[in-house]
């Protein structure tokens, strides 16, 4: 992988985190290709090969539907999120430019008038593809470490 492509990959991860931290939900699906996969899965299930995921979407349309749900139907106490994402580790680049990579992450949550707490930690297992608009996620599997999560996972990670 050349330096320019690795730089663009890092920028993809950074722009993704910034969009989520800014609650720019309409931008979230645009980080993915049309026929994408986004899953949020506990580490225990992932390591044992169990398919059960907390969230599972298999198209950009489903991501947009989730955005609609966030904006129009979900009601909860407001809070801020802050994503801290490690540098992507590239495992392989296919001949067609598909990048197989992963990165560690931590999400901090701050409720209004309260201290910040660690909300979720884990890693993402990603497949990133070149498009005319730049690099985009074809697949993003978010594997979170803790078996205990809040009773509702509202925002994407």
């Amino acid at each position: 992988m050349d330096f320019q492509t690795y730089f663009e990959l890092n920028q993809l991860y950074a722009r993704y985190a910034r969009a989520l931290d800014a609650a720019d939900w309409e931008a979230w699906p645009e980080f993915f290709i049309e026929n994408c996969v986004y899953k949020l899965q506990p580490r225990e299930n992932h390591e044992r090969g169990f398919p059960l995921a907390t969230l599972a979407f298999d198209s950009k349309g489903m991501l947009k539907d989730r955005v609609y749900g966030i904006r129009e139907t979900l009601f909860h106490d407001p809070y801020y999120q802050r994503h801290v994402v490690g540098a992507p580790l590239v495992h392989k680049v296919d001949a067609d430019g598909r990048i197989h990579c992963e990165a560690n992450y931590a999400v901090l949550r701050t409720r209004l008038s309260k201290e910040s707490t660690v909300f979720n930690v884990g890693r993402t297992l990603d497949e990133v593809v070149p498009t005319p608009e730049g690099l985009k996620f074809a697949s993003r599997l978010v594997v979170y470490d803790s078996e205990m999560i809040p009773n509702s996972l509202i925002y994407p990670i």
Side-chain angles (χ1 to χ4, degrees):
M1 171 179 289
D2 63 28
F3 176 78
Q4 182 62 34
T5 305
Y6 187 70
F7 175 76
E8 290 172 16
L9 181 65
N10 275 276
Q11 289 294 294
L12 174 67
Y13 277 76
R15 286 192 320 273
Y16 181 95
R18 183 186 65 192
L20 296 183
D21 291 345
D24 187 0
W25 308 123
E26 285 75 18
W28 177 57
E30 301 310 315
F31 288 96
F32 295 84
I33 62 172
E34 288 297 325
N35 295 320
C36 64
V37 173
Y38 176 87
K39 290 184 180 179
L40 186 67
Q41 185 180 45
R43 181 177 182 167
E44 179 182 27
N45 286 3
H46 177 71
E47 289 179 352
R48 291 182 177 188
F50 297 157
L52 184 62
T54 307
L55 294 175
F57 307 118
D58 61 8
S59 71
K60 191 173 182 178
M62 290 180 78
L63 300 181
K64 290 179 179 181
D65 203 38
R66 182 65 178 184
V67 168
Y68 176 82
I70 290 169
R71 287 274 187 226
E72 304 297 330
T73 65
L74 298 177
F75 297 98
H76 59 88
D77 291 335
Y79 61 87
Y80 301 111
Q81 290 190 140
R82 181 70 53 201
H83 291 70
V84 180
V85 180
L89 173 63
V90 176
H91 294 292
K92 178 174 88 169
V93 180
D94 294 339
D96 64 356
R98 181 177 293 257
I99 304 165
H100 302 262
C101 51
E102 69 176 89
N104 294 328
Y105 73 86
V107 180
L108 306 170
R109 180 167 68 178
T110 306
R111 293 189 183 276
L112 304 179
S113 302
K114 294 189 178 179
E115 70 281 352
S116 297
T117 59
V118 176
F119 174 66
N120 194 282
V121 296
R123 66 185 174 138
T124 60
L125 303 173
D126 301 310
E127 291 184 21
V128 176
V129 295
T131 74
E133 297 83 34
L135 295 178
K136 292 194 177 205
F137 293 106
S139 174
R140 177 157 255 216
L141 173 58
V142 179
V143 179
Y144 58 90
D145 289 341
S146 177
E147 294 176 27
M148 300 298 293
I149 59 171
N151 60 4
S152 65
L153 199 68
I154 297 167
Y155 302 133
I157 292 181

